[in-house]
Amino acid sequence: MLKIKYVISILLVLLAVTSSILWYRAVTRNENQATEKEITQINTSTAAVKKATNAYTIESVNKEITNMKVNLSEDLNRTKADITKGMQYVYAETKTQAAYDQLEKKIKPLLGDSLSKKVMALDKPIVAQTGKAQFPYDKIKQIQVFYGAYDITSQTIDCYILVNYLSPQLDATTTGIKAKAKQIVMPGQDFFSCSYDVANKQLDFTGYQHTSGEASS
């Protein structure tokens, strides 16, 4: 009887040891599978980083910067040409009510919404005593468009527009009384500040200053 109990005890110990070994192998196998999965993911990420690094060498980055400068230069040159054309419509080609009625449609694609709104207000005609519409501008002496520095954070560039113009001939007055057979021309200077949105290729009006010159007959 004692011998049988001894044998049973040995069998129980062997069973416990065997169960421990099987459990350890199962846990180890799961850990190995998880580790292999992590290694695969790491290798995939490393390959992606390596590919991206190879794609962005110093040479390729410099090339992208060069292309960006070329594209930006082209955009600014195009915008300058559009501004010049738009201001030409406003200051030199709008001399009748019919022309003024068509002006906004012409200049919006060139100057953008906010700057167009400003120059439309400046060029609004007044009705003279004769009942005829009188416009403030007759011809342009000079247009200058120049740019500030590029703000990489906001992706904008300050834009400045200087227009020197002449008024149409106006009746001269002396203390409010019209002078006989004498007409004068008033020179003026309009200065506009804008912001050019590089990403959206949009010109936004931000400020305006006016200076009047001395009248000439």
Side-chain angles (χ1 to χ4, degrees):
M1 185 69 177
L2 183 61
K3 187 176 181 180
I4 291 173
K5 288 183 178 181
Y6 179 72
V7 171
I8 291 173
S9 299
I10 292 174
L11 290 174
L12 289 173
V13 171
L14 290 173
L15 181 60
V17 171
T18 303
S19 298
S20 298
I21 293 172
L22 291 174
W23 176 83
Y24 176 76
R25 286 182 176 176
V27 171
T28 304
R29 182 166 56 253
N30 290 336
E31 288 180 349
N32 288 341
Q33 288 176 349
T35 302
E36 288 176 359
K37 186 177 180 180
E38 289 180 3
I39 291 172
T40 301
Q41 291 175 344
I42 290 171
N43 287 339
T44 302
S45 299
T46 302
V49 171
K50 186 176 180 180
K51 183 178 180 180
T53 303
N54 290 337
Y56 286 93
T57 60
I58 293 176
E59 182 180 352
S60 65
V61 170
N62 286 338
K63 186 176 181 180
E64 284 193 11
I65 292 173
T66 301
N67 290 338
M68 184 185 75
K69 287 181 179 178
V70 170
N71 293 336
L72 181 57
S73 178
E74 291 175 352
D75 282 347
L76 296 182
N77 286 336
R78 175 188 53 77
T79 301
K80 181 177 181 179
D82 286 348
I83 290 171
T84 302
K85 186 175 181 180
M87 292 302 182
Q88 185 73 26
Y89 281 136
V90 174
Y91 285 85
E93 298 182 21
T94 304
K95 299 178 182 180
T96 65
Q97 185 63 49
Y100 182 80
D101 292 341
Q102 295 296 316
L103 182 60
E104 186 175 14
K105 183 170 66 176
K106 288 182 177 181
I107 64 176
K108 261 193 175 182
L110 302 171
L111 305 179
D113 291 347
S114 57
L115 183 56
S116 293
K117 184 178 180 180
K118 179 62 180 179
V119 295
M120 286 290 295
L122 293 175
D123 198 24
K124 188 174 181 178
I126 59 172
V127 179
Q129 292 180 347
T130 59
K132 185 179 178 182
Q134 185 172 320
F135 290 85
Y137 312 123
D138 182 54
K139 63 180 66 174
I140 292 175
K141 293 177 66 178
Q142 185 182 36
I143 297 178
Q144 291 179 283
V145 180
F146 45 101
Y147 297 100
Y150 175 57
D151 187 331
I152 194 170
T153 303
S154 61
Q155 295 187 34
T156 59
I157 297 177
D158 289 335
C159 175
Y160 305 100
I161 307 160
L162 185 64
V163 182
N164 289 296
Y165 68 88
L166 296 175
S167 74
Q169 288 188 332
L170 306 171
D171 292 330
T173 61
T174 304
T175 62
I177 301 173
K178 184 190 295 187
K180 292 183 178 180
K182 185 176 182 182
Q183 291 187 314
I184 59 173
V185 172
M186 292 291 296
Q189 184 181 82
D190 286 342
F191 179 79
F192 303 90
S193 55
C194 302
S195 177
Y196 180 68
D197 186 329
V198 175
N200 297 312
K201 301 182 187 301
Q202 179 176 309
L203 188 68
D204 296 313
F205 168 72
T206 58
Y208 168 77
Q209 292 179 6
H210 170 76
T211 305
S212 296
E214 293 184 4
S216 60
S217 57

